[in-house]
């Protein structure tokens, strides 16, 4: 057994990494190959239930796209019937379908399988590698999730880790993990904004760091903005040019489009250092009986111009978080850059109004999150946490008449306990249902029902006043409810989920 060691896992949309503190208290990163510390979050199903994970699977995105799942974390724990899924599912060559529980599932070899299986295989693989590094099997872990992750998405990742044989000691928001890493690196007393622009999402988190303790002040970002949007933007422009010059529209061929996305990404990365680079995919399509190449020169300036709207969106998300906390950019001591896409010079330049940036020597953009998770794991093993994370989205209840009450506001620190006096409940003799839901957007039109609480008559009828509902959110982001009566009675009540996430 791993003797109290806790594995920190950053299960990312694009890449997955893990780290831990060994028995001597030394930080260990988990190598995936020689000097490589991250593993592509890709699973290739090559026959029935046989699968390969990581670098070996990544090459299959082009060879066998319909059986190769990548970026699947975007869909994990999301309802199939949602705007997000309708908008994104057709961009992938693998098939996202509705599972029997209503959540996104995938279709391979004639079977509909839950997406938690993909997460499970990735977490299992990185854990196997970690066991090898530690020389002993891990039984406990800390997981990181995007700030915007709903309670359901957190539950889906937790379940995948449990299936891989791990007890989840804690869950923390990715930027908070990065800040925890930062806080332990320097032990500063500062206000920092963690700007995390990875492959799939942008998270911006404002926090104070004091004596190695991190307190989150506000979070925000853009769940639809990440490095892959930059890649798509390049492809979009070049495919349009190709159409104009060659009269061939490549958009209808998903395999060709996937090859172009790969080529665009590598050129984008190269242009973070070079001034110009060629995007070249040989023999992309046949025209008039002969193969033609896809070949364009792209300069850094052109890349920056085409991606300007994306960069502006990223900057606007930062301003929004600052506004929510009532701070200005010049009151932030340091902007901590996390996520591979922050290596793009134009992204950094757009944020130059912040007085100080972390350099990648200080905070490794790709590994900081996994290290932060390892730090929380070490702290939890010692019985401290060194952390005050926040709940990204409000949790509310709906009363029988349809009116709603917010119980836990967005940006509440976790763990937290909030109460609400249940005034005006019907005095009839049957249980009264209260629907507990999480608002997925600011306008609260997009809601995720978490379950129903039945308030039995004994809490309402003839007890001399309204009962109180108490909702508590733990550090593991598990929600619990209690009822308290005016005459001092208190009891835990179940939040019954009519359509739970499938666990298999
Ligand atoms: P992460 O999720 O942190 O691994 O970030 C992955 C994203 O960062 C992908 O979209 C990559 O294309 C992008 N990325 C990685 N390195 C660079 C670079 N040097 N310049 C621009 N983007 C990069």
């Amino acid at each position: 057994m791993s003797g109290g060691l806790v594995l920190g896992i950053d299960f990312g949309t694009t890449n997955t990494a893990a780290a831990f503190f060994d028995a001597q208290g030394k930080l260990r990163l988990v190598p995936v190959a020689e000097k490589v510390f991250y593993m592509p979050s890709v699973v290739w199903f090559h026959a029935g239930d046989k699968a390969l994970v990581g670098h070996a699977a990544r090459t299959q995105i082009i060879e066998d796209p319909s059986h190769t799942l990548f970026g699947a974390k975007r869909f994990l724990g999301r309802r199939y019937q949602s705007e997000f899924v309708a908008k994104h599912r057709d961009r992938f060559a693998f098939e996202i379908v509705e599972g029997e529980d209503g959540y996104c599932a995938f279709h391979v070899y004639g079977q509909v399988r839950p997406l938690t299986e993909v997460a499970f295989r990735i977490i299992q693989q990185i854990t196997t590698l970690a066991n090898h590094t530690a020389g002993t099997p891990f039984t406990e872990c800390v997981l990181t999730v995007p700030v915007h992750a709903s309670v359901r998405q957190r539950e889906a990742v937790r379940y995948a880790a449990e299936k891989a044989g791990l007890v989840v000691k804690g869950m923390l928001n990715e930027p908070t993990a990065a800040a925890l890493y930062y806080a332990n690196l320097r032990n500063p007393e500062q206000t920092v904004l963690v700007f995390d622009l990875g492959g799939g999402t942008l998270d911006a988190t404002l926090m104070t760091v004091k004596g190695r303790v991190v307190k989150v002040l506000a979070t925000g970002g853009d769940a639809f903005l990440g490095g892959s949007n930059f890649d798509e933007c390049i492809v979009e422009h070049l495919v349009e040019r190709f159409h104009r010059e060659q009269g061939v529209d490549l958009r209808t061929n998903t395999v060709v489009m996937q090859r172009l996305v790969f080529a665009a990404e590598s050129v984008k990365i190269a242009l973070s250092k070079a001034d110009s680079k060629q995007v070249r995919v040989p023999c992309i399509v046949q025209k008039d009986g002969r193969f033609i190449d896809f070949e364009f020169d792209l300069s850094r300036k052109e890349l920056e111009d085409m991606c300007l709207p994306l960069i502006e969106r990223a900057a606007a998300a930062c301003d929004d978080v600052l506004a929510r906390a009532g701070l200005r950019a010049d009151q932030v001591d340091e902007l901590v850059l996390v996520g591979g896409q922050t290596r793009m010079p134009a992204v950094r330049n757009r944020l130059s109004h912040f007085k100080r940036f972390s350099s990648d020597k200080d905070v490794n953009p790709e590994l900081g999150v996994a290290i932060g998770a390892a730090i929380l794991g070490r702290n939890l093993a010692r019985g401290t946490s060194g952390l005050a994370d926040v709940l990204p989205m409000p949790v509310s209840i709906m009363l029988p008449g349809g009116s709603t009450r917010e119980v836990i506001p967005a940006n509440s620190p976790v763990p937290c306990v909030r109460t609400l006096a249940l005034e005006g409940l019907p005095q009839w003799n049957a249980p009264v249902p209260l629907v507990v839901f999480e608002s997925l957007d600011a306008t609260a039109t997009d809601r995720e029902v978490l379950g129903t609480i039945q308030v039995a008559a004994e809490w309402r009828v003839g007890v001399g006043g309204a009962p109180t509902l108490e909702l508590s959110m733990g550090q593991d982001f598990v929600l619990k409810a209690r009822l308290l009566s005016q005459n001092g009675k208190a009891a835990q009540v179940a939040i019954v989920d009519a359509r739970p996430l499938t666990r298999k």
Side-chain angles (χ1 to χ4, degrees):
M1 287 293 159
S2 57
L5 301 188
V6 181
L7 184 62
I9 304 176
D10 168 18
F11 163 47
T13 309
T14 324
N15 294 309
T16 294
F20 63 94
F21 284 84
D22 66 17
Q24 284 70 45
K26 187 165 169 274
L27 175 70
R28 305 276 299 271
L29 295 167
V30 174
V32 173
E34 203 182 335
K35 295 202 179 126
V36 178
F37 296 100
Y38 63 85
M39 179 182 87
S41 303
V42 184
V43 182
W44 172 46
F45 289 89
H46 53 91
D49 60 354
K50 299 226 170 17
L52 271 182
V53 182
H55 287 96
R58 192 171 191 270
T59 53
Q60 298 298 326
I61 295 177
I62 289 172
E63 302 290 325
D64 187 13
S66 60
H67 297 123
T68 311
L69 280 96
F70 64 98
K73 190 178 127 183
R74 284 168 177 257
F75 298 106
L76 184 68
R78 283 191 194 267
R79 294 238 172 237
Y80 183 78
Q81 304 290 349
S82 67
E83 205 180 309
F84 179 92
V85 175
K87 195 168 157 198
H88 291 86
R89 68 167 182 247
D90 293 337
R91 291 195 197 165
F92 297 88
F94 53 82
E95 208 184 334
I96 292 291
V97 296
E98 183 164 9
E100 59 190 30
D101 53 7
Y103 289 90
C104 287
F106 66 104
H107 187 237
V108 274
Y109 300 108
Q111 280 180 319
V112 172
R113 317 227 307 235
L115 265 188
T116 44
E117 183 181 338
V118 176
F120 152 69
R121 288 190 186 262
I122 294 167
I123 293 173
Q124 185 188 44
Q125 178 75 7
I126 200 82
T127 306
T128 304
L129 293 166
N131 292 345
H132 186 72
T133 309
T136 168
F138 281 93
T139 54
E140 294 179 330
C141 73
V142 165
L143 297 171
T144 60
V145 284
V147 174
H148 300 98
S150 68
V151 168
R152 291 295 189 202
Q153 288 169 295
R154 287 166 202 259
E155 187 185 335
V157 185
R158 183 187 310 116
Y159 168 61
E162 285 168 0
K163 199 174 162 193
L166 297 167
V167 173
V168 181
K169 295 276 285 181
M171 250 193 194
L172 78 168
N173 294 326
E174 285 160 9
T176 314
L180 204 54
Y181 164 44
Y182 170 88
N184 280 264
L185 209 64
R186 293 240 187 104
N187 196 10
E189 283 197 24
Q190 290 190 338
T191 301
V192 297
L193 179 63
V194 177
F195 178 85
D196 180 358
L197 188 59
T201 51
L202 165 66
D203 292 329
T205 309
L206 189 65
M207 43 201 129
T208 55
V209 175
K210 197 172 178 186
R212 301 196 180 200
V213 174
V214 174
K215 182 164 184 273
V216 178
L217 303 177
T219 69
D222 191 328
F224 299 90
L225 182 62
S228 59
N229 298 78
F230 288 70
D231 309 339
E232 281 165 18
C233 181
I234 299 169
V235 171
E236 195 72 26
H237 273 80
L238 297 185
V239 162
E240 183 59 44
R241 249 161 80 181
F242 190 81
H243 192 189
R244 271 200 314 272
E245 290 171 18
Q246 302 284 350
V248 182
D249 188 359
L250 299 173
R251 289 188 192 94
T252 49
N253 188 329
T254 44
V255 176
V256 163
M257 289 298 278
Q258 193 53 60
R259 288 175 71 192
L260 291 178
V261 168
F262 264 43
E265 183 187 15
S266 62
V267 167
K268 173 191 77 176
I269 291 174
L271 288 176
S272 287
K273 290 223 166 80
D275 285 330
S276 87
K277 188 82 190 163
Q278 193 180 55
V279 187
R280 184 164 191 276
V281 183
C283 304
I284 191 106
V285 72
Q286 269 195 337
K287 187 186 167 194
D288 305 331
R290 66 180 183 91
F291 277 103
I292 45 175
D293 298 340
F294 186 92
E295 215 170 51
F296 292 105
D297 286 322
L298 194 65
S299 69
R300 185 190 286 183
K301 174 83 176 64
E302 284 172 301
L303 171 71
E304 291 176 357
D305 287 347
M306 59 178 77
C307 295
L308 189 64
L310 300 173
I311 296 170
E312 286 304 322
R313 258 169 71 188
C318 271
D319 294 343
D320 184 51
V321 170
L322 287 175
R324 262 192 253 170
L327 288 182
R328 295 184 316 271
D330 62 4
Q331 292 171 299
V332 174
D333 296 305
E334 189 156 341
L335 186 71
V336 178
L337 297 171
V338 186
Q341 191 59 47
T342 61
R343 292 189 187 274
M344 182 179 187
V347 171
R348 290 171 177 243
N349 291 343
R350 179 60 185 80
L351 299 169
S352 58
H353 54 301
F354 285 92
K355 55 188 180 199
R356 198 189 139 108
F357 281 17
S358 63
S359 82
D360 58 1
K361 285 186 204 69
D362 293 336
V363 180
N364 182 315
E366 281 89 9
L367 300 173
V369 172
I371 299 173
I375 293 170
L376 179 62
R378 179 196 59 188
N379 292 359
L380 290 173
R382 287 178 182 165
T384 60
S385 94
L387 176 70
D389 214 343
V390 297
L391 180 74
M393 292 171 283
V395 174
S396 310
I397 57 162
M398 188 187 287
L399 301 171
S403 65
T404 61
R405 306 269 186 283
E406 186 174 283
V407 187
I408 311 181
N411 282 320
S412 295
V414 282
C416 63
V417 180
R418 293 285 183 279
T419 57
L420 177 81
L422 295 170
E423 306 282 358
L425 289 186
Q427 289 294 303
W428 65 55
N429 230 335
V432 167
L434 304 177
V435 179
V436 184
F437 67 90
E438 187 180 22
S439 306
L440 299 184
D441 64 13
T443 57
T445 51
D446 196 5
R447 292 169 178 168
E448 179 83 51
V449 172
L450 300 175
T452 304
I453 295 168
Q454 299 290 349
V455 186
E458 67 193 75
W459 292 96
R460 298 174 284 108
V461 184
V463 287
T468 296
L469 172 69
E470 180 190 278
L471 290 183
S472 59
M473 183 66 84
Q475 184 137 43
D476 52 4
F477 287 89
V478 172
L479 186 68
K480 294 198 173 118
R482 286 203 318 154
L483 284 173
L484 316 166
S485 77
Q486 298 260 352
N487 53 8
K489 194 165 72 151
Q492 191 91 26
V493 280
I495 305 173
V496 179
D497 187 0
R499 290 185 79 192
L501 197 74
T502 306
R503 293 184 156 247
K504 68 177 182 191

